[in-house]
């Protein structure tokens, strides 16, 4: 891998800052390989937030026919896969209900879809997205919810549409998804401040570093030179699209938000096995 210091056009970077920059570049260049080397967890066994015994779930059935027909047209899953995803969805929702604390009057909580904690568990344990909490938070925010999507939780339709992009999205869909995750304030641009926030969360302080933020700022400038195609000091979706076309490894430059090919294939195989 080329030395990132060579990209600074003669600007001197401290030894500590260079070390942080190198570590950051390796972070996004090797994220896919590291994930591919880890074992794949069974998606039907989401992690729970306590050790309370889970009640037996009777999974199966089909979503409402109208929803089912719509997803056959708008997602990249076939009928048997959608049925398997619905079984999994019901299991995840019921597990979340069983794991959540009861109300003051002892009633189980009402959960109308996949909650954020369950979503985080699946991303970690099924897709092995060992990424920063800020990235997981942004992933959760970008999946469709709201009044039509579950009022804070993921309904089945939103779950399937999100997985469709995550697992079978084309190049453009994956680019748009990653860009939305990195665009922290949803204004259509990835700014220096947003890059700094994302990379600062991802990098660890080196022993002896007096000002690790200096290294992060240098890394921001290095990455900005790659992504800011029109040189206006911020990255638009068009900038991002062109930069990723030239260097596909820049797709997840600010943190892993897509599963490795290995984990995507393993998950899809489980859908086939359930049919």
């Amino acid at each position: 891998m080329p030395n990132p210091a060579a990209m600074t056009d003669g600007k001197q970077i401290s030894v500590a800052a260079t070390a942080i920059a190198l570590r950051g570049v390796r972070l996004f260049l090797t994220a896919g390989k590291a994930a591919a080397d880890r074992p794949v967890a069974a998606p039907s066994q989401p992690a729970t937030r306590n050790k309370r015994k889970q009640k037996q779930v009777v999974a199966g059935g089909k979503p409402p026919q109208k929803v089912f027909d719509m997803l056959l047209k708008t997602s990249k899953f076939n009928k048997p896969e959608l049925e398997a995803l619905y079984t999994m969805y019901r299991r995840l929702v019921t597990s979340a209900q069983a794991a959540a604390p009861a109300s003051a009057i002892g009633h189980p909580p009402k959960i109308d879809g996949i909650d954020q904690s369950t979503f985080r568990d699946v991303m970690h344990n099924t897709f092995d997205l060992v990424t920063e909490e800020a990235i997981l938070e942004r992933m959760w925010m970008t999946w469709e919810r709201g009044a039509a999507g579950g009022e804070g939780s993921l309904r089945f339709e939103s779950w399937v549409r999100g997985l469709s992009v995550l697992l079978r999205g084309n190049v453009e869909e994956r680019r748009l998804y990653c860009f939305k995750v990195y665009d922290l304030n949803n204004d259509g641009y990835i700014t220096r401040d947003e890059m700094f926030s994302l990379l600062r969360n991802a990098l660890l302080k080196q022993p002896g570093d007096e000002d690790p933020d200096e290294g992060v700022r240098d890394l921001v400038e290095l990455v900005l030179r790659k992504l800011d195609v029109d040189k206006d000091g911020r990255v638009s979706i068009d900038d991002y699209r062109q930069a990723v076309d030239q260097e596909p490894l820049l797709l997840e430059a600010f943190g892993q938000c897509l599963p490795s090919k290995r984990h995507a294939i393993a998950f899809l195989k489980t859908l086939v096995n359930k049919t």
Side-chain angles (χ1 to χ4, degrees), residues 70-200:
M70 179 270 294
L71 290 173
L72 281 174
K73 296 177 181 178
T74 59
S75 77
K76 298 182 180 181
F77 298 110
N78 59 32
K79 181 178 178 181
E81 290 171 336
L82 284 175
E83 291 174 348
L85 284 172
Y86 189 65
T87 298
M88 184 184 304
Y89 169 81
R90 290 179 59 182
R91 183 180 294 113
L92 289 169
V93 173
T94 307
S95 295
Q97 290 173 333
S103 66
I105 57 176
H107 292 163
K110 180 177 175 57
I111 299 177
D112 293 328
I114 294 174
D115 65 356
Q116 187 172 1
S117 294
T118 302
F119 177 85
R120 185 187 298 111
D121 288 342
V122 173
M123 294 301 116
H124 272 314
N125 298 295
T126 298
F127 298 121
D128 201 38
L129 292 182
V130 185
T131 188
E132 291 303 305
E133 193 63 30
I135 295 293
L136 285 173
E137 176 72 21
R138 284 299 303 161
M139 289 173 61
W140 170 254
M141 295 299 295
T142 59
W143 286 45
E144 297 176 20
R145 288 177 290 122
E151 293 290 351
S153 61
L154 283 171
R155 293 285 180 87
F156 179 63
E157 309 95 287
S158 302
W159 175 241
V160 169
R161 285 195 292 266
L163 288 177
S164 184
V165 173
L166 209 67
L167 300 171
R168 287 182 171 152
N170 59 34
V171 173
E172 179 63 9
E173 288 170 334
R174 290 161 66 89
R175 277 191 302 231
L176 288 173
Y177 173 70
C178 291
F179 185 87
K180 286 172 64 178
V181 170
Y182 301 145
D183 179 13
L184 301 182
N185 63 358
N186 303 312
D187 69 347
Y189 296 94
I190 306 173
T191 64
R192 277 186 172 87
D193 288 342
E194 288 170 327
M195 294 180 196
F196 180 85
S197 177
L198 290 165
L199 292 174
R200 191 177 190 277

Side-chain angles (χ1 to χ4, degrees), residues 204-223:
L204 299 174
K205 181 179 179 181
Q206 287 275 31
D209 285 350
E210 295 182 0
D211 184 12
D213 286 357
E214 179 185 350
V216 178
R217 284 190 289 270
D218 287 328
L219 180 56
V220 166
E221 294 305 317
L222 296 177
V223 179

Side-chain angles (χ1 to χ4, degrees), residues 10-11 31 33 65 67 100 108 122 125 146 152 184 194 199 203 212 219 222 228 235 250 264 270 274:
K11 179 182 177 181
K33 180 180 183 302
Q65 190 62 43
V67 172
V122 173
N125 298 295
L184 301 182
E194 288 170 327
L199 292 174
L203 301 180
L219 180 56
L222 296 177
D228 183 17
V235 178
L250 290 171
T270 66
K274 290 178 183 294

